[in-house]
Amino acid sequence: MADIYRSADKVVIWLGPEENGSDLALSAMATLASKVHVNWTHQTIDPASEDTEFSWLDLDRPLPFDHETHRSVVLLLDRPWFGRLWIWQEVSLAADRAEILCGTKSLTWDVFRTAVFVMLVRVKPAKIPRIIGTAKRAWGICDVANRNNHKLLEILGKTKYAQCLDPRDKIFGVLYLMPEYARLDIQPDYNKSVAEVFLDVILRSIFDGTDANLLSCCELSTPRTPIMPSWVPDFARPQRCEAIWQPRACWYSSPQARHNGDGILTMTGVCVTCVTGYCGILPAGSLAPDLAEQSLHPREIYNALRTVVSFLRANWQLSLKQDAEILCRTLCCNYFSDLCEPLNKYRLDFTEVMTRFPKLLDLTEEVSEDFLWECSRFLSRFYYTVVGRAFILTQKEGLIGMAPEACRENDCIVVLLGCQSPIVLRPTDDGSFIVVGECYIQGLMDGEALLGPLPSNWRRVLRFDEEAKGTWDAFIDRDRGIWQVEDPRFGPLTEGWCEEKHPKDHVYTLFRDKTTDVVDWHDPRMLPSSLRERGVELQDFNLV
C-alpha cells in the first residue's frame, strides 16, 4: 500500500458530501491561506503581500471570522477522516500531490496545512469551542506529512488519538511515517499478540535504539489492556497526559539495562527524592483537551489554578512571591519561548506571563473576566499541562513538580540513564518498582541529578542553526553573550575517547572510542563509571 501512495501522480482525499457549511469552511481556509506566507523552516507567519490587513497576523486578536465560519471549520476538521490512523501514512507519502475534496469544493494540501497552522497559533484557546482540539489534530497530520525526520516517540504522541481496529496497528501503522533508521527494524507481524508487539517495541527502543525515552509513555492505570509489566507502555490507550516538552533530565547518557525475559527490566539511575504531598487539579476522569466537547472558560481553568495555590499555601514552606518563577514554570512544564533561540513567539512569553502571574496567585483579590481573558493563553497552557496530572511536593526542599494523577506519597522521583524525563516509581514490598509515569520537576530537567546545577550565568536553550536547518541544544553564557555546544559542567573528555569531526559538529558532538573505533553520540562522560567518579550515587531499579 505504501508503494501505491508513493508512486501515485495525484491523491484525492475525500471528506464526504457538502454539509454543515463545508463550502463556507473551505472558502474561509482558502482565504486565510492567501493572506499569509508561512516560513516552514522557522514556522513563522508573514503577510502574503503589502496589502494584507494586520488583522490576519495579529496573535492577540481572534481571526476575522464570524461564529458561523468558525463553526463550519470545526465541523469540517471533526469529520471521521481526520480520526483514522491509516490516513496519516497516505498523506505522508503523497502530501506534495494531495488534494482535499469535500462535496464539489477542493483545496490543495499546501493551502490546507497553511490555514490549519495559522488557525492553531491564532485562535484564542478558550474563545471558540473545540477549535483548538480539531485544529491540533489536523496539524499533527500536516506536520508529519511535512517532515520525514520524526522518531517513534514523537509519532506515537501525535497519533495517540487516531483510531484503528487492531491495537497492533498503533505501531505497524506508523512505521512509514519515520525514516528507515528510526523504525528500529520493526516488521509488521500479526502472528504476535498485542502484548508481544508492545513489549518488542520498548525493548528494541532501549537495546537497539539507544535510548529509553519510550518509558515516558507509561501511565499507571487500571485496568491495563492487555496485561503487561508497568514498564511496557499500553499504546492501545491514549496517554492522558500531554508529553513534556524538551526534557533533558538524563542529558545525553545511554540506557544501562538488562532484561532476562522474566517480566523484569533492570535500569540504572539515581533516586533524587520522594513525593511527600500531592494535589489533584482537575476532576478524576476529565477529558484531555483534544477530546473535550468544548474548551473550558478561563474562569473554570482559573478555579483549578486556585486549587493548586490553596494547596501550596497550606503545605509549601517556600514563598509564593519569592519563588513565583519556579511555580510558574512548573505549572506549564516550562512551555515558554525563552527556551528557544531565536524566541518562538507562538509559545508563552515568560516575561509577559510574569506581569500577571502574581495577581493569579492572590486568593484574597477577585479577578475580573477581562483580566482572565488577558491570561487566556497562560491558562490554556496550564490546562493542557494539568490534564491527567497532580501537583506534587517532594522531600527535597524547593523541588516541586507535575506528576501523573496516580502518584502517591512515598513514590520515588528517579532519573534513569537514557530516559530524558524523570520517572515516578512506586516501591513494592519485594524491593522492585512499578512505573507510575513521567513527571516534570523544576530543577531536574537539565541533567541536574547527574551533573549538578548549571553555573548561574549559563543557560541551556534550543538554538536554531540556519546552516544545519535544525534545532539543537546549546549553552549561552548570559554575562558574556558566548554560545557553545559543550555543557559547561563537563570536564576533560574521558580517557580513551576523542571528538569526531563531522559536517554538523558546530551544532552537536560525536565521540569516537579509540579502542573499538566506534562512533557514538552519547557523551562518554555520562557513562556510569564517569558519573560515579563525579559522586553520583547510581543504583539499579528492578521494574515490574
Side-chain angles (χ1 to χ4, degrees), residues 266-277:
T266 302
M267 296 284 297
T268 301
V270 58
C271 181
V272 181
T273 186
C274 296
V275 177
T276 57

Side-chain angles (χ1 to χ4, degrees), residues 47-59:
S49 69
E50 294 180 356
D51 299 329
T52 300
E53 301 92 335
F54 183 64
S55 60
W56 295 99
L57 304 168
D58 187 359
L59 293 178

Side-chain angles (χ1 to χ4, degrees), residues 21 35 143 397:
K35 298 293 184 180
D143 188 37
E397 183 177 350

Side-chain angles (χ1 to χ4, degrees), residues 380-398:
S380 176
R381 172 45 48 186
F382 168 70
Y383 173 53
Y384 272 76
T385 299
V386 301
V387 168
R389 290 192 171 105
F391 189 90
I392 62 169
L393 302 176
T394 72
Q395 202 172 50
K396 203 165 187 175
E397 183 177 350

Side-chain angles (χ1 to χ4, degrees), residues 199-453:
L199 174 66
D200 181 58
V201 169
I202 186 69
L203 292 178
R204 284 178 182 271
S205 72
I206 294 173
F207 293 101
D208 299 337
T210 68
D211 72 55
N213 291 327
L214 280 187
L215 287 174
S216 65
C217 297
C218 296
E219 285 185 339
L220 185 62
S221 61
T222 304
R224 284 170 58 82
T225 48
I227 302 300
M228 297 177 295
S230 67
W231 50 270
V232 179
D234 187 355
F235 300 112
R237 297 164 60 102
Q239 270 185 280
R240 280 180 45 72
C241 299
E242 186 175 78
I244 294 172
W245 182 53
Q246 298 293 344
R248 295 291 186 271
C250 76
W251 202 228
Y252 287 100
S253 59
S254 59
Q256 306 297 313
R258 299 190 307 275
H259 178 249
N260 299 321
D262 54 1
I264 299 175
L265 177 69
T266 302
M267 296 284 297
T268 301
V270 58
C271 181
V272 181
T273 186
C274 296
V275 177
T276 57
Y278 62 95
C279 170
I281 303 170
L282 294 176
S286 295
L287 289 175
D290 300 60
L291 300 180
E293 284 299 318
Q294 60 183 20
S295 301
L296 292 180
H297 188 280
R299 175 68 65 181
E300 297 174 271
I301 305 175
Y302 171 63
N303 288 338
L305 176 61
R306 287 174 62 94
T307 300
V308 177
V309 175
S310 298
F311 169 76
L312 284 171
R313 291 193 180 279
N315 297 281
W316 200 27
Q317 296 181 1
L318 298 186
S319 165
L320 288 180
K321 183 176 182 180
Q322 294 178 357
D323 298 285
E325 176 175 344
I326 295 174
L327 179 58
C328 185
R329 291 190 183 278
T330 299
L331 293 176
C332 291
C333 289
N334 207 20
Y335 197 83
F336 290 100
S337 62
D338 61 356
L339 189 59
C340 304
E341 172 61 37
L343 293 178
N344 185 326
K345 63 182 178 180
Y346 305 125
R347 301 194 186 278
L348 292 174
D349 184 316
F350 182 74
T351 302
E352 180 183 334
V353 169
M354 286 302 293
T355 62
R356 301 185 179 100
F357 189 63
K359 188 172 181 179
L360 292 172
L361 300 181
D362 188 354
L363 301 184
T364 64
E365 182 180 351
E366 185 65 27
V367 295
S368 67
E369 295 298 315
D370 288 343
F371 178 76
L372 290 179
W373 283 115
E374 292 174 5
C375 300
S376 62
R377 289 191 70 199
F378 166 77
L379 291 173
S380 176
R381 172 45 48 186
F382 168 70
Y383 173 53
Y384 272 76
T385 299
V386 301
V387 168
R389 290 192 171 105
F391 189 90
I392 62 169
L393 302 176
T394 72
Q395 202 172 50
K396 203 165 187 175
E397 183 177 350
L399 288 187
I400 58 175
M402 305 292 291
E405 60 186 1
C407 73
R408 295 294 180 264
E409 290 183 11
N410 300 317
D411 284 350
C412 299
I413 307 298
V414 173
V415 173
L416 300 172
L417 299 186
C419 183
Q420 296 290 14
S421 292
I423 300 294
V424 180
L425 299 182
R426 180 162 302 159
T428 67
D429 293 339
D430 64 4
S432 60
F433 294 86
I434 295 170
V435 178
V436 179
E438 74 167 348
C439 64
Y440 178 94
I441 306 291
Q442 183 67 23
L444 292 185
M445 306 309 292
D446 286 328
E448 292 91 338
L450 302 174
L451 300 174

